[in-house]
Amino acid sequence: MSYKNFPMVSKVVFGRGSFNQLSEILAPKRLSMNAPFIYLIDDVFKNNIWITSRIQLSYDDKIIFISTKEEPKTSQVDALVEDIILMTKALPSGIIGIGGGSILDLAKAVSIMLTNEGEAKDYQGWDLVKNAAIYHVGIPTISGTGAEVSRTTVLTGPEKKLGINSDFTPFDQVILDSELTKDVPKNQWFYTGMDCYIHCIESLSGTYLNTFSQTYGDISLQLCKELFLDDTLSEEESQEKLMMASWHGGMSIAYSQVGVAHAMSYGLAYLLGVKHGIGNCIVFDHLEEFYPEGVKLFKEMKRIHKVELPQGICANLSDEEFDIMINIALNLVPLWENAIGKNWRNTITSKKLKELYQKM
């Protein structure tokens, strides 16, 4: 039997204030005076001097602020790559992503597309990337998605929402500074935290489960329960625990897979532009049939944190629109195999998915 030989993030710094070590970490990685570092930063930090003043630019280093109002698109990756090629004299020394899951995914995708020909959409799938990415660093400013540790970069393309899943995707360096997450709005904190929780539920109850995945998943799930069922934690404790829950949750799916909620939320994202965290929550709320205990606990967490999910987002969709979402979801074969098993097509039909979407 042949086992998957997965790469992991090769270097990680953890600790409050560790963001201050960024320039010291990057210095030895600079290829030349003409090879800049390119910082992709969530534009929510555009006027945030507390973050931007701590980034030391040298030579031709550039900051590009990016709006995260929409999910990352393959066309956005292509445009960024083109801009970077036009503004730099040589291949950059590295790409540094500072933000939530969307920015981290863009940083991973851009670093891959700077060394691989064609368009980002050509690489949506599993193990299609031929050349190693340039050096890339991930600095999460919100916890939950697991994007800082995963080997995928989730993108919406012209025909599908699917990640660039490859051995070249994981970051070379991650800085986990929980202090950077201190200003995350309450609802966003909950949605991305639930993304992490749902990773665990889907991984731990899947047919792909193995001891590697289970070990990480168990730790992440325990941290999620401490965080979301107990509101007596200090802010600092809460931030650090969610950061580590996100890391372990991301690791738990490295050797397994996610499941029904993720497959169906990809459909919502592609058609309606629903962001990943909230999309997972909207779907998961209706999945008692697949994850009875997980959904029961999720509803309890919603109640404790007084979170109301949007209702009726699929109420006025046409049959054609339902079909688009259903086809996106059905194409995610490994997710369904993990959730249901090899014979998943016997139970997961277009009719079944339509009934579920109609509840949302």
Side-chain angles (χ1 to χ4, degrees), residues 19 22-23 39 41 50-57 63 98:
F19 183 54
L22 179 59
S23 56
Y39 296 81
I41 304 181
W50 181 69
I51 286 191
T52 54
S53 67
R54 293 152 76 190
I55 296 169
Q56 295 173 19
L57 301 180
I63 289 178
I98 303 174

Side-chain angles (χ1 to χ4, degrees), residues 40-45 66 68 72 97-108 138-148 171 180-181 184 188 192 275:
L40 306 182
I41 304 181
D42 189 328
D43 72 357
V44 75
F45 299 117
I66 294 170
T68 55
I98 303 174
S102 294
I103 296 293
L104 298 183
D105 279 348
L106 281 172
K108 290 191 281 191
I139 306 173
T141 59
I142 184 169
S143 300
T145 65
E148 67 278 12
F171 286 109
L180 299 180
T181 68
V184 174
Q188 203 179 353
T192 53
K275 295 198 80 172

Side-chain angles (χ1 to χ4, degrees), residues 9-60:
V9 172
S10 49
K11 291 206 167 177
V12 58
V13 177
F14 173 84
R16 288 176 86 77
S18 57
F19 183 54
N20 292 334
Q21 292 171 234
L22 179 59
S23 56
E24 180 190 322
I25 287 167
L26 294 181
K29 299 293 180 183
R30 189 179 293 279
L31 300 173
S32 75
M33 286 164 53
N34 295 327
F37 284 107
I38 307 291
Y39 296 81
L40 306 182
I41 304 181
D42 189 328
D43 72 357
V44 75
F45 299 117
K46 205 169 203 168
N47 300 312
N48 187 322
I49 295 166
W50 181 69
I51 286 191
T52 54
S53 67
R54 293 152 76 190
I55 296 169
Q56 295 173 19
L57 301 180
S58 306
Y59 308 111
D60 294 328

Side-chain angles (χ1 to χ4, degrees), residues 200 204 214-224 226 244-245 248-249:
C200 299
L204 290 169
Q214 185 168 3
T215 311
Y216 283 107
D218 283 343
I219 292 172
S220 184
L221 184 58
Q222 182 55 41
L223 288 167
C224 286
E226 287 172 29
M244 289 322 296
H248 284 81

